[in-house]
Amino acid sequence: MAALRTDEPQLAVRAGVVHAPRLARVAALDGAAVPSLDPAGTVLVTGASGTLGGALARHLVTERGARRLLLTSRRGAEAAGAAELAAELTELGAEIHWAACDAADRTALAEVIASVPADHPLTAVIHAAGVLDDGTIESLTPERVAHVLRPKVDAAWNLHELTRDLDLSAFVLFSSAAGVFGNPGQGNYAAANTFLDALAQHRRAQGLPAVSLAWGLWEDEGGMAATLATADRQRMSRGSMGALSNAEGLALFDVSGLAGHAVLIPAALDIAALRAQSTAGVAPLLRGLIRTPVRRAAAGGGGGADEAASLAQRLAGMSAAERDRFLLNLVCGQVATVLGYGSAAAIEPGAAFKELGFDSLTAVELRNRLGAATGLRLPATLIFDYPTPDALADHLRAELPHGDGGGPSVFGELDRLEAALAVAADDSVTRSRITMRLQALLAKWNDAQDAAGDGGTDDHDLQSATDDELFDLLDDELGSS
Ligand SMILES: NC(=O)c1ccc[n+]([C@@H]2O[C@H](COP(=O)([O-])OP(=O)(O)OC[C@H]3O[C@@H](n4cnc5c(N)ncnc54)[C@H](OP(=O)(O)O)[C@@H]3O)[C@@H](O)[C@H]2O)c1
C-alpha cells in the first residue's frame, strides 16, 4: 500500500528495502586522456552505412587512431555513400573493408569475423545497427516486434558469443534513451534497446569489456532521427531533451569508455529547462538530476499542486469576465504548446480539437498539462467531452473554485481532503476513525447514486481502461488510425 501511495512508475523491493530508479550524473571526466585505438588491430562497426555509423567510422580514423575498419551492414558496400566513405578513409591512410552481412545471421557474422587476418586481430566492436518500426502497443504484431528486436537482440548476442574469446579492448553497443524512458509509440524499439543495456551489464559482470550508450536524439537528420515528425521533436524538447550535435555525440563516445559504467545515457538534457518545467511535472527518473523533492502523490495529485493553489487564488480575485478570458487563454495557450502553434492567439476558440490536429498522444498531453495547471482530475476523454477550446474553458470554469457565490467545487474539496489525508496522523486509532468516516461517506454517496439510477458504467470502464485502450478510444473518436 505504501508503494501505491507514491507516484513512482517503478519500484524494486530488495530485502525489504524499497528502491526507486534515478538517473545520476557521471563524475566529471575533465582532463582524462581518451586512449587511442590499436592501429594494428581491426575495429568492427555494424550499421556502418547508417548516419551515425558513417560519422563514427570517420571519427575513428581521424581522431582515434584506427587504421583498419571492418564496416558492415546488410547492404554493405552497395549502400548509398558506402563507396565514398571507403574512398575518403582510404585516402586518409586507413584500410577499409566492407562486408554485406545481417548481424542477426549468426553463420554470416561468424564468417565475417573469421575473415579478420591474424596479424590485424579484432580489437574493438561497435554495434550501431538498428531499425525502427514505430506504433502503439496494440498495433505491434509479433512480426513488427521481431523486426526491431533482430538487429539489436539477435545481432548483439551473436557479437557477444562470437567474440567472447577474443582480446577486445572495447565492445560498444548503440542503444537508445527510448529504452530508459519508454518513448510513446516505441514499445518494440524500447525493448530492443533495453536488451542491449542488460547485455552490457551481463558482460561486465563476466569481466568482459562492454558499454551500452543509450543515446538521446542526435541532430543529424539523416538517420533514425529523420523519422521523427516535427510534433515528436517538439514533444521531446518540451520534455527537456534536445538533440546532440555530431561533435558532442562523438566527444561523448570518446569518453564513454572512461566512465567505468555498463550503461550510460549520453543525451542533451536541458537541466535548467527541466527545473523550470512546472506544469507537466518532472519524471521521477530525472528527479535526482534537479534535486526536486519527491512529492507525495496523494498530496499533489500530480506535479502541479503549487500552481493549482496559486491559480485558485488568482481566479478568486477576478471578475467573471476576466476569469472567462483567463481560462480561455489558458486552454488556447496549452493547445498551442502541445500542437506546436506559435501562441494562444493562433488558436480559434470555436474550432473543433479534431480539426486543430489532435491525435491520441497530444490529447492525453493536453489533459495532463491542464490537469497540472488547474489541479483538477480531468478525464482522458477530455477533448471529445468538450470538443472546442470554448467548451473546455467553460468546463474548467464550472469545475474550478471561485469566489463569487458559486462556492468551492466538489473536486476542489476532494483535492483538499486528499491532501489532508496524506499528512494525517499516523496512529492507528485516528486512521481507523478516518477510514470509518470515509466508508460511511462513500456508502451514502453510492446510495444516492443508486437512487438516482445512475450506474455510471462508462466512467467505470474508463477508470479501468489501460493506456492503450484509452489511446484507441481517443483515436476512434478523433477518426485517426
Ligand atoms: N540517430 C539518433 O538520433 C539515435 C538516437 C538514439 C539511438 N540511436 C541508435 O544509433 C544507431 C544508429 O542510428 P542511425 O540514426 O545511424 O540509424 P540509421 O541511419 O537508420 O542506420 C542504421 C544502420 O543499421 C543497419 N542495419 C539494420 N539492420 C541491420 C542488421 N540486421 N545487420 C546489420 N546492419 C543492419 C542499416 O544498414 P542496412 O539497411 O544496409 O542493413 C544502417 O546502416 C541505432 O542502433 C540507433 O538505435 C540513434
Side-chain angles (χ1 to χ4, degrees):
M1 283 308 286
L4 294 179
R5 280 201 298 269
T6 72
D7 59 351
E8 298 289 339
Q10 291 181 38
L11 290 169
V13 183
R14 298 191 191 113
V17 179
V18 182
H19 300 264
R22 291 288 184 270
L23 299 188
R25 282 171 190 271
V26 170
L29 295 167
D30 305 345
V34 175
S36 289
L37 291 160
D38 178 358
T42 299
V43 180
L44 168 64
V45 180
T46 69
S49 62
T51 307
L52 302 195
L56 182 77
R58 273 188 194 89
H59 179 74
L60 293 175
V61 171
T62 55
E63 305 295 328
R64 297 292 301 278
R67 280 294 162 266
R68 296 183 58 94
L69 297 185
L70 176 52
L71 303 179
T72 73
S73 83
R74 289 166 303 180
R75 289 165 297 162
E78 299 299 312
E84 291 81 353
L85 178 66
E88 180 188 331
L89 299 183
T90 306
E91 182 87 350
L92 294 170
E95 197 172 320
I96 307 299
H97 295 275
W98 267 106
C101 170
D102 178 346
D105 178 336
R106 190 187 162 101
T107 312
L109 185 64
E111 275 173 27
V112 167
I113 291 174
S115 74
V116 176
D119 52 343
H120 296 294
L122 202 61
T123 48
V125 171
I126 300 161
H127 181 43
V131 294
L132 287 175
D133 190 0
D134 294 352
T136 55
I137 292 288
E138 293 293 316
S139 71
L140 294 182
T141 57
E143 292 74 29
R144 293 185 70 187
V145 173
H147 177 56
V148 172
L149 294 191
R150 188 176 167 82
K152 296 271 179 177
V153 177
D154 300 302
W157 189 252
N158 287 344
L159 286 165
H160 162 62
E161 289 202 323
L162 294 170
T163 64
R164 61 174 305 143
D165 297 325
L166 306 180
D167 189 15
L168 298 183
S169 64
F171 187 96
V172 185
L173 299 162
F174 272 36
S175 169
S176 166
V180 180
F181 293 103
N183 287 355
Q186 295 201 310
N188 49 1
Y189 185 63
N193 285 295
T194 300
F195 178 86
L196 297 182
D197 301 346
L199 176 60
Q201 299 271 12
H202 177 69
R203 283 180 58 92
R204 285 178 87 94
Q206 297 181 8
L208 296 167
V211 61
S212 184
L213 301 178
W215 295 109
L217 189 66
W218 284 55
E219 217 166 64
D220 199 321
E221 298 209 343
M224 291 190 169
T227 63
L228 286 179
T230 309
D232 291 328
R233 283 177 183 282
Q234 284 169 342
R235 185 179 302 135
M236 288 174 88
S237 65
R238 279 199 299 282
S240 308
M241 170 86 78
L244 292 167
S245 67
N246 272 18
E248 287 169 332
L250 293 168
L252 288 168
F253 170 85
D254 285 345
V255 294
S256 63
L258 303 170
H261 293 282
V263 182
L264 294 167
I265 304 165
L269 273 181
D270 183 344
I271 303 290
L274 208 57
R275 283 207 183 95
Q277 191 185 48
S278 44
T279 47
V282 175
L285 203 54
L286 298 173
R287 286 182 184 157
L289 297 176
I290 58 165
R291 299 182 199 286
T292 296
V294 178
R295 289 187 175 112
R296 296 179 68 165
D306 299 344
E307 294 134 57
S310 73
L311 177 74
Q313 272 172 8
R314 288 177 73 182
L315 290 176
M318 290 181 194
S319 69
E322 282 169 341
R323 200 161 47 233
D324 289 353
R325 264 199 310 279
F326 178 88
L327 289 174
L328 184 60
N329 197 45
L330 172 72
V331 171
C332 290
Q334 296 292 1
V335 169
T337 304
V338 170
L339 294 181
Y341 286 85
S343 71
I347 306 299
E348 173 60 46
F353 287 121
K354 198 170 155 179
E355 308 303 327
L356 287 169
F358 272 92
D359 60 17
S360 53
L361 286 176
T362 42
V364 170
E365 188 182 348
L366 179 68
R367 186 278 303 257
N368 292 348
R369 296 177 75 87
L370 286 174
T374 61
L376 295 174
R377 284 180 190 279
L378 299 168
T381 51
L382 189 67
I383 68 158
F384 63 88
D385 293 348
Y386 308 98
T388 63
D390 260 339
L392 183 47
D394 280 351
H395 172 65
L396 296 183
R397 190 186 43 231
E399 290 299 315
L400 282 165
H402 46 75
D404 61 356
S409 81
V410 172
F411 290 101
E413 290 302 293
L414 285 175
D415 284 345
R416 266 189 285 285
L417 173 63
E418 201 174 354
L421 288 173
V423 293
D426 254 1
D427 70 283
S428 58
V429 176
T430 311
R431 280 207 308 270
S432 303
R433 286 179 56 201
I434 292 173
T435 307
M436 283 190 301
R437 283 285 303 272
L438 288 173
Q439 282 169 341
L441 187 63
L442 188 62
K444 220 164 149 183
W445 169 253
N446 283 338
D447 286 349
Q449 297 313 296
D450 289 347
D454 173 13
T457 342
D458 288 352
D459 285 350
H460 285 303
D461 286 352
L462 284 177
Q463 291 301 329
S464 58
T466 63
D467 285 354
D468 282 314
E469 286 165 348
L470 283 174
F471 285 141
D472 278 351
L473 178 62
L474 290 169
D475 281 335
D476 283 351
E477 291 295 328
L478 291 163
S480 51
S481 59

